[in-house]
Amino acid sequence: MKRKLVFATNNRHKLDEVREIIKEDAEIVSLEAIHCHEEIPETADTLEGNALMKARYVREHYGMDCFADDTGLEVEALDNAPGVYSARYAGPGHDSEANMRKLLAELQGKGNRKARFRTVIALLLDGKEYTFEGIVNGSIIEEKRGDRGFGYDPVFVPEGYTETFAELGEEIKNKISHRAMAVQKLARFLSDLH
């Protein structure tokens, strides 16, 4: 029987991406599926801290094995900002358009446009905690391109490519993205438990 794991998200994009990678090793359920509708706090000052905070919340309140992720875009010329504040860079709420506008404005006139996406996944399983990290290096372009993907995808070009994540599409992104790398590490770990 497949192990059931809660993924502490209701983000449809993330759920689909993760289910595609982990399909053999566990049944992945969303927060909605376990009737968790409250806003889970993410007040740590690191990606690891936020991921652990979300996973621990589900474990404490719902008693289920769980994993959670936190992702940040780290831009070299901005001292690795927005980082842990990526989703709320332009202020409260999750407005990707406003976040991208602010990022592009901050980078105006800067020659160094190196950036990386970093995802940390925290897994709480059988009373133990594990973390997995995925990093993809790339750069920030000067204006948005592409209409697939979400978040900062339209302004991020991964190393070795000429198209943004929003132009590459799900299939390629799911193979090379930061989240995909972290999820593949998680999948290998789950697979090794059998």
Side-chain angles (χ1 to χ4, degrees):
M1 203 172 98
K2 266 193 192 176
R3 172 191 295 275
K4 186 182 278 195
L5 276 177
V6 177
F7 180 14
T9 189
N10 279 320
N11 180 317
R12 177 81 21 227
H13 294 289
K14 284 189 191 181
L15 276 164
D16 291 346
E17 215 172 286
V18 168
R19 281 180 176 142
E20 188 56 38
I21 296 170
I22 295 190
K23 57 182 170 239
E24 302 304 316
D25 299 303
E27 179 193 344
I28 307 299
V29 297
S30 67
L31 290 173
E32 190 177 22
I34 62 164
H35 308 292
C36 172
H37 303 289
E38 57 269 29
E39 188 75 26
I40 298 177
E42 292 182 62
T43 52
D45 53 10
T46 64
L47 298 174
E48 293 84 352
N50 275 342
L52 280 164
M53 189 178 276
K54 288 189 279 188
R56 287 172 182 155
Y57 183 93
V58 171
R59 183 91 189 131
E60 281 164 28
H61 292 81
Y62 295 88
M64 298 180 77
D65 284 335
C66 172
F67 66 96
D69 75 320
D70 199 21
T71 294
L73 174 66
E74 300 174 341
V75 181
E76 206 172 87
L78 304 178
D79 295 324
N80 289 332
V84 74
Y85 306 106
S86 294
R88 295 174 183 82
Y89 192 42
H94 297 269
D95 184 345
S96 296
E97 288 299 317
N99 289 338
M100 279 188 282
R101 276 196 305 276
K102 178 174 180 178
L103 178 68
L104 294 176
E106 301 268 335
L107 282 174
Q108 199 74 46
K110 292 199 183 339
N112 177 3
R113 300 183 78 87
K114 282 188 200 155
R116 68 182 192 169
F117 267 120
R118 197 161 70 88
T119 291
V120 176
I121 291 176
L123 169 68
L124 271 60
L125 187 67
D126 303 330
K128 293 195 176 94
E129 296 182 349
Y130 309 88
T131 56
F132 308 90
E133 182 182 63
I135 293 174
V136 65
N137 293 306
S139 58
I140 303 297
I141 56 173
E142 297 196 1
E143 53 191 46
K144 294 182 346 186
R145 291 197 329 240
D147 55 9
R148 292 176 285 194
F150 58 101
Y152 295 92
D153 287 357
V155 296
F156 182 84
V157 175
E159 230 169 54
Y161 291 81
T162 54
E163 295 174 298
T164 66
F165 267 165
E167 292 172 303
L168 287 170
E170 291 298 306
E171 200 174 318
I172 296 172
K173 187 186 166 192
N174 285 355
K175 288 189 177 90
I176 66 166
S177 82
H178 43 292
R179 186 172 304 104
M181 287 180 205
V183 174
Q184 282 155 5
K185 288 178 184 175
L186 169 64
R188 279 195 296 276
F189 176 82
L190 294 171
S191 176
D192 290 346
L193 293 176
H194 293 307

